[in-house]
Every structure is written in C-alpha cells, then in structure tokens.
C-alpha cells in the first residue's frame, strides 16, 4: 500500500485572545518510504504536527492525506499508523512478548500468527532473550526497543516517533539512533520522527523539516540545510556549534568588522543594494575560520572548549561574538589575543537584517 503523507495547508489553532496557531498552514509532502525528521525548538509545533497526523490533535484548517486517503477526520485506529512515544508506555504487568503482541491480540489475530510476528520483530531488535521478562527487569534502551517492536509488529503504513530517545543517556542515544535509521532502511516504511536535537536530525533523516512558531522554515537534505540555509533562523539552528551570525555594515567589497573588511559575494552586494540595505546579517561557520599569525581580525579569547581532536575558541570582536574551530592539540589560552581569517571566500552566508531571508 502506498504511504505518501501530505499536509495541505494544515493548521492547529487553539482559541484564545489572541488565538494560538500551534501549526500554521503546514504544506509538507513525505514520499513513500522516506525517513523525515521534524526539528525545531520547544514550542515550534513539531509534536503537534505529528499528533495531527496521528489523529490525537484536531486539524482546524486544511487537510492531511496518507496515500490516497483523506485522514483529516478519521479516528486514530483507522489511519494505519503506529506511534512510538518519549515515554515507553509499556504495560508493567505484561511480559515483553505480550506487550509487543497486545495490539495484534486486540485485532483478533491467532496466537500462532502473533508469535511469528513478535518473534520476527524481537530478532530484528535483539530482544529474543528478553521476551519472557517484565518491563521493570529491562534497561531504558531495552524498553525503548520493546516500544519499537510493538510498533513494528503492526506493520503500519507510517511510523510516527515523538522524541523516542529523550530518556536515554548520551552513549545509548547515539547507538539507538543508528539502529533506528538502519531498521527504517530495512523496513522501508514511511517514518516521521520528531526531535529537538538538531544533531539527531542531521544524522538520521533523509530530509529534515525545520519548524519555528508553527511555520515550516525549510525542508531539505541535511547537507543542503547546512550549506544553504534559507534564512538566519535555520542557519543558527542547524550546526553544532551554531553558525556565527553578526549584523555588520556594508563596506566597499564586503562588510566591516572592526578595522577589517570581510568579503561577500558580488551577488550579495547587488541584492543588498537592490533592497536598499546599509547592513546585513553576516554568517560564517566555526570551521570556516582559522587562526593565522597575521592579517584577518583580532579576537580576544574568552572560552576554550577542548574536545580532544578539536577545540572551539570563543571570543569577541567589539560587541560581536565568534566561535572558531581549531586543532585540539594546540589551542590558544584564555585571555589570548589571536588573529582569525576566513578559510575561503565561498564559505560565508548573508541574510536580510529584518526578514532574516537569505540574500542570494
């Protein structure tokens, strides 16, 4: 069965004064078999958008389709979806096998067929030896795999995952997200995954949709989001550490930072001129800067994050803060004055200071 998902001008509006548009005219198409990640800060509408698809939140305007079916007003049980929540929501009195097969039992499926499906899913998730245990005898990671197994045995058209790794520790989170991505490729089931963690989004999704205040900012591959953010919000949100963003006055051939002119593309200068701008939001990623013996601009070191192979140097130029990625073996020290230059002219970004939109 085809399982494309489409949000068509879909909105969730909470009444009040003023009304709250938790999701505002969302237009988003997810092809059959794609792993799409919804990401954004707290309150961006990502979980609400997922719950609208699941039938747990009303669609006040617009429509949602799964395949050729309009599911906007269908109850959750008729949508052919399976959802994995942040809380594992397992039945404590049931064994792992019974938890995984409970939805199939409610459907009236035979014990033999349930056992076969549960066995196959357990093998896939490395849970076979835990099938007779109760949830309290499992670790957090094992409980999360049981919750995944409960969704898998249902063989739905669409998997929905709402921050399923938030309760796991950092190491287990990295391991489990790799397992989920691998499992999704193997099953080929359309999957929509919600997270606030942009590193998680970038490492898991075929495409990533960035939301802010209920509105879709950009939806593209992780690489395209990183290299060509559509606006200053996406630029600052995607990437760790975040892109350096500073509002700087235009100068001849570039922008003025202290006593230094940093170059910008001719197309950006033209676009800024056409818009009548005297300043732009200038963006450059920490790895696009380097320490130099002379030239560039001077940075006063206020913090050094030593991470082993790399170090991140935080400092100020006037009122503007910058982060520079450097060799972790020879980082500067707190209080040092260092010289910083661009690695290449093509690695900068420019945005409109009022709208935030990218200047081409």
């Amino acid at each position: 069965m085809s399982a494309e998902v489409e949000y068509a001008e879909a909105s969730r509006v909470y009444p009040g004064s003023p009304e709250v548009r938790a999701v505002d005219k969302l237009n988003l198409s997810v092809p059959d078999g794609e792993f799409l990640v919804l990401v954004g800060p707290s309150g961006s509408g990502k979980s609400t958008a997922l719950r609208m698809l699941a039938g747990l939140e009303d669609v006040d305007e617009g429509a949602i389709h799964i395949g050729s079916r309009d599911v906007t007003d269908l109850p959750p049980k008729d949508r052919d979806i399976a959802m994995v929540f942040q809380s594992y929501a397992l039945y404590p009195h049931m064994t792992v096998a019974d938890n995984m097969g409970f939805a199939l039992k409610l459907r009236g499926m035979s014990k033999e067929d349930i056992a076969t499906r549960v066995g196959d899913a357990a093998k896939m998730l490395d849970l076979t030896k835990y099938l007779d245990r109760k949830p309290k005898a499992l670790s957090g990671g094992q409980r999360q795999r049981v919750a995944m197994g409960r969704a898998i045995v249902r063989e739905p058209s669409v998997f929905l995952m709402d921050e399923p790794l938030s309760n796991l520790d950092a190491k287990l989170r990295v391991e489990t997200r790799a397992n989920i991505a691998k499992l999704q490729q193997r099953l080929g089931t359309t999957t929509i995954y919600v997270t606030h963690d942009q590193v998680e989004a970038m490492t898991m999704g075929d495409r990533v949709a960035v939301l802010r205040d209920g509105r879709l900012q950009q939806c593209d591959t992780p690489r395209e989001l990183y290299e060509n953010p559509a606006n200053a919000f996406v630029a600052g949100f995607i990437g760790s550490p975040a892109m350096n963003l500073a509002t700087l006055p235009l100068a001849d051939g570039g922008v003025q930072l202290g006593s230094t002119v940093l170059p910008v593309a001719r197309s950006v200068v033209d676009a800024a001129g056409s818009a009548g701008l005297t300043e732009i939001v200038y963006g450059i990623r920490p790895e696009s800067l380097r320490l130099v013996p002379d030239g560039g601009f001077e940075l006063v070191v206020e913090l050094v994050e030593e991470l082993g192979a790399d170090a991140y140097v935080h400092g100020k130029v006037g009122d503007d803060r910058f982060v520079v990625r450097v060799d972790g073996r020879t980082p500067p020290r707190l209080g040092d004055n260092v010289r910083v230059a661009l690695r290449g002219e093509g690695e900068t970004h420019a945005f409109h200071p009022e709208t935030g939109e990218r200047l081409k």
Side-chain angles (χ1 to χ4, degrees):
M1 176 181 167
S2 173
E4 303 94 347
V5 171
E6 184 175 6
Y7 292 84
E9 295 280 307
S11 297
R12 177 67 173 118
V13 186
Y14 294 110
S17 182
E19 66 179 20
V20 177
R21 302 187 74 86
V23 175
D24 191 6
K25 298 188 185 307
L26 179 59
N27 287 302
L28 186 61
S29 293
V30 186
D32 187 23
E34 182 174 75
F35 193 127
L36 179 89
V37 179
L38 295 176
V39 70
S42 179
S44 61
K46 54 193 185 297
S47 288
T48 304
L50 195 77
R51 292 170 64 83
M52 289 163 70
L53 177 57
L56 303 176
E57 291 276 3
D58 292 337
V59 180
D60 297 300
E61 298 169 5
I64 296 177
H65 295 82
I66 298 176
S68 56
R69 296 189 307 150
D70 184 339
V71 300
T72 308
D73 299 313
L74 285 182
K77 67 183 178 63
D78 296 332
R79 297 191 181 206
D80 195 18
I81 54 98
M83 193 158 181
V84 180
F85 296 91
Q86 179 178 344
S87 60
Y88 315 123
L90 303 177
Y91 296 108
H93 62 287
M94 291 185 184
T95 64
V96 166
D98 289 341
N99 264 288
M100 287 171 65
F102 187 64
L104 305 183
K105 184 179 177 183
L106 291 180
R107 285 186 194 172
M109 193 176 281
S110 70
K111 286 185 179 179
E112 295 76 16
D113 287 344
I114 291 174
T116 300
R117 283 207 196 177
V118 168
D120 289 346
K123 190 174 177 183
M124 205 181 293
L125 293 162
D126 196 21
L127 288 171
T128 306
K129 61 187 175 187
Y130 306 112
L131 286 174
D132 294 327
R133 289 194 191 179
K134 300 277 180 68
K136 68 179 179 182
L138 302 176
S139 69
Q142 289 162 347
R143 290 180 200 177
Q144 191 58 70
R145 297 211 305 271
V146 175
M148 291 282 301
R150 185 176 53 194
I152 289 167
V153 298
R154 294 174 58 187
E155 297 181 356
S157 297
V158 182
F159 285 133
L160 306 180
M161 301 188 189
D162 192 3
E163 306 222 27
L165 309 184
S166 293
N167 292 339
L168 305 182
D169 63 56
K171 185 173 183 234
L172 193 55
R173 203 158 55 230
V174 171
E175 185 182 310
T176 308
R177 75 187 182 210
N179 291 339
I180 290 175
K182 192 160 57 177
L183 186 66
Q184 193 274 339
Q185 284 185 338
R186 186 169 161 189
L187 295 171
T189 307
T190 307
T191 301
I192 300 178
Y193 184 105
V194 162
T195 181
H196 65 276
D197 183 340
Q198 54 91 18
V199 174
E200 201 167 279
M202 297 288 278
T203 53
M204 294 180 76
D206 296 325
R207 285 189 306 152
V208 177
V210 183
L211 278 79
R212 180 192 190 194
D213 297 335
R215 288 181 170 270
L216 180 64
Q217 302 295 303
Q218 188 175 359
C219 181
D220 220 317
T221 62
R223 174 54 53 190
E224 192 63 20
L225 285 179
Y226 191 79
E227 292 186 346
N228 294 298
N231 56 43
F233 174 77
V234 176
F237 189 78
I238 297 294
S240 181
M243 182 186 289
N244 298 300
L245 294 168
T247 302
L248 301 175
L250 288 163
D252 188 23
V255 290
Q256 191 79 42
L257 177 65
S259 59
T260 307
V261 175
L262 300 176
V264 297
R266 182 76 244 170
S267 58
V268 170
V269 174
D270 291 344
S274 299
L277 300 177
T278 57
E279 60 182 18
I280 62 170
V281 175
Y282 185 84
I284 185 158
R285 296 206 177 272
E287 64 272 23
S288 296
L289 293 169
R290 61 192 175 94
L291 300 185
V292 292
D294 49 52
F297 58 90
E298 187 176 77
L299 192 73
V300 180
V301 178
E302 295 187 327
L303 172 68
V304 179
E305 292 182 281
E306 297 194 45
L307 304 175
D310 294 318
Y312 290 102
V313 176
H314 298 246
K316 284 180 77 173
V317 182
D319 294 330
D320 296 307
R321 295 185 175 276
F322 287 85
V323 182
V324 185
R325 179 179 170 183
V326 302
D327 188 329
R329 291 166 294 190
T330 55
R333 290 174 300 183
L334 202 64
D336 282 356
N337 285 6
V338 295
R339 306 296 303 183
V340 177
L342 303 181
R343 287 192 182 277
E345 289 186 21
E347 298 186 46
T348 62
H349 306 262
F351 306 96
H352 195 291
E354 291 167 14
T355 67
E357 292 302 305
R358 186 180 187 86
L359 295 170
K360 301 295 184 186

